[in-house]
Amino acid sequence: SVRALTMAEREEISRGIVGGLSVRAIARAPNRSASTVSREIPRNGGLRRCRAEAADKLAWKRTPPAWAALRAGRCFAMLPA
């Protein structure tokens, strides 16, 4: 989904946290809203524990199974013709 954060965007958020940037400053780099970034941080462990790889894995655990299978390329039959 276009709305879902990519691994690269999560890396930018992680770097911003380590760099001590504000949520608004972190949101500028991947061109996301500050509210998206502010939800992502506590959802994935807060300022001390939010890291890109772990956040991406958690996001996939929260993804509905059909979308996860589709993104992994296992459900081409589900795609519209």
Side-chain angles (χ1 to χ4, degrees), residues 5 37 44 48 62-63 73 79 81:
L5 290 169
V37 174
N44 295 296
R48 293 176 186 243
R62 290 188 299 263
T63 302
L79 293 173

Side-chain angles (χ1 to χ4, degrees), residues 49-68:
R49 296 185 54 210
C50 185
R51 296 297 175 260
E53 187 176 347
D56 200 57
K57 286 180 183 177
L58 285 172
W60 277 106
K61 284 184 179 181
R62 290 188 299 263
T63 302
W67 283 108

Side-chain angles (χ1 to χ4, degrees), residues 24-62:
R24 287 181 186 265
I26 293 169
R28 278 187 217 116
N31 199 23
R32 290 292 188 153
S33 71
S35 62
T36 299
V37 174
S38 68
R39 283 191 307 271
E40 181 74 3
I41 294 170
R43 183 183 292 155
N44 295 296
L47 291 173
R48 293 176 186 243
R49 296 185 54 210
C50 185
R51 296 297 175 260
E53 187 176 347
D56 200 57
K57 286 180 183 177
L58 285 172
W60 277 106
K61 284 184 179 181
R62 290 188 299 263

Side-chain angles (χ1 to χ4, degrees), residues 2 5 8 10 14 16-19 36 42 46-47 64 68 71 78:
V2 175
L5 290 169
R10 287 190 173 96
S14 184
I17 291 169
V18 171
T36 299
L47 291 173
R71 185 168 175 189
M78 294 174 64

